[in-house]
Amino acid sequence: MKKNLYIDGQWESTANYASLYAPYSRQKIAEIPQASEEDVKKAIQAAYKAKAAVANTTAYERAQVLEQLVQLFIQHKEKAAQIIALEAGKPLKYALLEIERTIETYKFAAEEAKRLVGEIVPMDAAKNGNNRFGYTLEQPVGVVAAITPFNFPQNLVAHKVGPAIAAGNTIILKPASQTPLSALFLAELIEQTSLPKGAFNVITGSGKLVGDVLIESDHINMITFTGSPAVGMDIRKRAGLKKVTLELGSNAGLLIDEQVNLDEIVSKCVVGSFSNQGQVCISLQRIYVMDTLYDEFLAKFVVQTEKLVLGDPLEMTTDISSLIHANEEIRALDWINEALANGAELATGGKLQNRILLPTILTNVADHLKVSCQEVFAPIVIVNRITSIQEGIEAINKSHYGLQAGIFTNNIQTAFMTSKALEVGGVIINDIPTYRVDQMPYGGVKESGTGKEGIKYAIHEMTETKLIVWNQS
């Protein structure tokens, strides 16, 4: 199945194509266009040319486009999910949940398009503000370059495309090399909406080639990127005066206090640690349990983890399938072995079975080991014993990352204290740090990035505030 680029409302061929293979079956599933520098520049020109037309659409018209997209995703929900399961190896049950969230995300974007307003500025609050009337407008930045990862190839794209359309911007989408089919399917759906021609473009191929052209172009006004800290920091360094939003790495931590209901917590921890093979930005990677509950928690956690079903992602019964690439399996095993060689203990997992890395629980893990201090992005979680919540807070904060963290506690004072002390962008009380709904502000501190996603907040990132002052004297 040979695919093409989507530029200026047209499907464009290019000189070079690369084979795409399914992570689980390792079978070839498509031929993907490898955009040239000229292709990328053509997409930039198309988006730039459409900028004025899109900026002049009404809030109603932009909301209508997004509502049309919502309906198209509802109609094609199963197909969209099957594409994700095939190209990303995400179990179908989770792929279907991703499409449900994608539908909700575009719905939120349609609603927020109608709420994009500025504010009245009380000019006469200043000594020299008499007889002046001030207000602000929120205007689109222009052309948005969206660079997205493989792990949520529709919903994380929606968190960039939805706000961009709602704000009146044009878009160039560069999807991850392993998940281009979802982005091209999105283009097929957008083609059926009333979005002006050229407002949405999809470029596939080399991340470095495409990224370099986007970063260097004077016609790109904003870059929104989700991916590795190294690439994100390079983008920020080279982007000049372009607006930049970065959603980068994480090694999300969870605290479990005394006197809590472990049965509910354990089931949540299994989902948080192992859904999508741990390939989630806020996947639960580090669990710190108070000493009095540690042994009971670990025993229950291991039992429930070992019940997970491994297999083909296209089967609805599958809980765990292959990682995105065989190289990731090798890396993950190396990190596990490094931990074991340095005093960590294996509670379950730790090996491959039919090209699937078994869900792995490690205990007694030192904080300098890769499975603790780096982003593991695999079905691996550490469970360490603590003697106080303060000890757990210090352990979570001893990280280059700070996206989200969680705590289970029945003590309201502990909850308030922890929520202030944790150095993260979001604290989830009495739930796992993997919890996210798509309208909430989402973004981290430290090497987890800059800026916020969540539709309302992403729209603010994608607009410029303009002040208007009338002198009435």
Side-chain angles (χ1 to χ4, degrees):
M1 180 172 59
K2 196 171 186 179
K3 293 292 185 176
N4 287 315
L5 305 168
Y6 187 70
I7 301 173
D8 202 13
Q10 304 292 325
W11 294 96
E12 301 275 359
S13 62
T14 191
N16 296 308
Y17 288 76
S19 297
L20 180 68
Y21 295 89
Y24 177 72
S25 69
R26 309 286 167 90
Q27 294 180 347
K28 181 177 172 179
I29 53 177
E31 290 284 326
I32 303 301
Q34 303 298 292
S36 65
E37 184 176 335
E38 291 70 28
D39 291 326
V40 184
K41 288 180 177 178
K42 187 175 180 180
I44 293 171
Q45 187 59 38
Y48 183 76
K49 184 178 66 177
K51 183 169 72 168
V54 176
N56 287 327
T57 57
T58 65
Y60 174 83
E61 290 169 332
R62 296 192 296 274
Q64 191 175 45
V65 168
L66 291 160
E67 288 286 4
Q68 291 166 354
L69 194 52
V70 165
Q71 293 306 314
L72 288 163
F73 265 110
I74 291 172
Q75 292 171 30
H76 300 285
K77 177 181 175 181
E78 287 75 18
K79 182 177 181 180
Q82 287 170 352
I83 291 171
I84 292 172
L86 181 65
E87 69 176 351
K90 177 177 288 190
L92 187 56
K93 65 173 72 174
Y94 294 118
L96 285 163
L97 289 174
E98 178 178 344
I99 297 305
E100 288 180 4
R101 283 184 59 189
T102 300
I103 290 166
E104 192 171 54
T105 299
Y106 283 119
K107 183 72 174 176
F108 281 131
E111 294 164 352
E112 290 296 339
K114 297 179 179 181
R115 293 197 281 260
L116 182 54
V117 295
E119 62 181 4
I120 301 297
V121 181
M123 302 301 294
D124 62 354
K127 184 177 179 180
N128 295 325
N130 190 40
N131 290 323
R132 282 171 170 79
F133 174 68
Y135 59 93
T136 63
L137 301 174
E138 296 298 321
Q139 296 188 311
V141 295
V143 181
V144 174
I147 305 173
T148 57
F150 71 84
N151 55 330
F152 285 84
Q154 284 294 3
N155 196 43
L156 289 184
V157 167
H159 273 279
K160 301 181 187 301
V161 172
I165 293 173
N169 296 298
T170 60
I171 309 136
I172 299 162
L173 172 61
K174 166 59 178 79
S177 296
Q178 182 58 42
T179 52
L181 298 180
S182 290
L184 295 170
F185 182 67
L186 173 62
E188 291 178 24
L189 299 186
I190 285 182
E191 194 174 28
Q192 300 173 56
T193 73
S194 54
L195 187 69
K197 180 182 176 181
F200 178 75
N201 307 270
V202 179
I203 294 293
T204 58
S206 163
K208 181 171 181 2
L209 185 152
V210 175
D212 285 350
V213 178
L214 293 173
I215 291 168
E216 293 166 8
S217 174
D218 292 335
H219 288 335
I220 299 293
N221 302 103
M222 178 179 179
I223 298 173
T224 172
F225 170 81
T226 300
S228 74
V231 174
M233 286 186 277
D234 182 63
I235 289 172
R236 188 171 183 83
K237 188 184 300 182
R238 297 167 54 205
L241 295 178
K242 294 178 176 67
K243 294 189 81 171
V244 177
T245 296
L246 303 174
E247 200 270 276
L248 307 176
S250 175
N251 55 354
L254 173 69
L255 303 175
I256 299 179
D257 199 2
E258 297 174 312
Q259 299 178 336
V260 292
N261 184 343
L262 285 183
D263 291 330
E264 291 183 7
I265 292 170
V266 166
S267 60
K268 287 177 179 288
C269 288
V270 171
V271 173
S273 302
F274 303 123
S275 62
N276 196 22
Q277 294 79 258
Q279 299 169 130
V280 180
C281 299
I282 42 177
S283 182
L284 177 53
Q285 185 172 327
R286 300 180 292 157
I287 304 175
Y288 300 97
V289 187
M290 287 291 287
D291 184 67
T292 54
L293 292 181
Y294 180 86
D295 292 333
E296 183 185 356
F297 171 83
L298 181 61
K300 292 182 175 182
F301 190 34
V302 169
V303 167
Q304 288 205 28
T305 296
E306 291 178 345
K307 291 179 180 178
L308 294 172
V309 177
L310 282 61
D312 188 335
L314 295 173
E315 297 291 336
M316 278 296 288
T317 54
T318 297
D319 297 308
I320 301 286
S321 192
S322 298
L323 289 170
I324 195 69
H325 195 277
N327 290 343
E328 289 299 293
E329 296 164 1
I330 296 168
R331 176 193 60 81
L333 285 171
D334 285 345
W335 287 20
I336 291 169
N337 291 330
E338 178 205 47
L340 295 176
N342 284 273
E345 298 172 12
L346 183 67
T348 189
K351 62 182 180 181
L352 287 175
Q353 180 177 303
N354 298 325
R355 298 194 303 271
I356 297 172
L357 179 61
L358 295 180
T360 300
I361 301 171
L362 295 167
T363 64
N364 191 35
V365 180
D367 58 23
H368 70 276
L369 297 173
K370 290 187 180 73
V371 291
S372 178
C373 69
Q374 297 187 31
E375 183 175 40
V376 71
F377 234 60
I380 302 170
V381 62
I382 71 169
V383 183
N384 279 0
R385 189 188 304 265
I386 55 174
T387 56
S388 70
I389 291 298
Q390 186 59 44
E391 180 187 352
I393 292 170
E394 291 172 3
I396 289 178
N397 287 347
K398 194 175 183 180
S399 171
H400 295 295
Y401 303 117
L403 187 46
Q404 289 192 173
I407 179 172
F408 283 95
T409 182
N410 291 328
N411 188 313
I412 191 168
Q413 291 179 328
T414 298
F416 275 116
M417 180 273 292
T418 304
S419 66
K420 290 183 178 181
L422 287 169
E423 297 168 358
V424 293
V427 177
I428 313 299
I429 298 170
N430 289 330
D431 213 330
I432 52 177
T434 322
Y435 176 81
R436 182 183 182 185
V437 289
D438 296 290
Q439 79 276 28
M440 76 187 204
Y442 179 80
V445 298
K446 299 190 270 190
E447 289 185 20
S448 285
T450 60
K452 285 287 187 285
E453 292 194 340
I455 304 304
K456 171 185 173 182
Y457 306 92
I459 289 173
H460 182 72
E461 301 280 355
M462 294 181 179
T463 56
E464 298 284 4
T465 300
K466 178 183 286 184
L467 171 67
I468 312 296
V469 178
W470 291 65
N471 184 350
Q472 301 175 84
S473 58

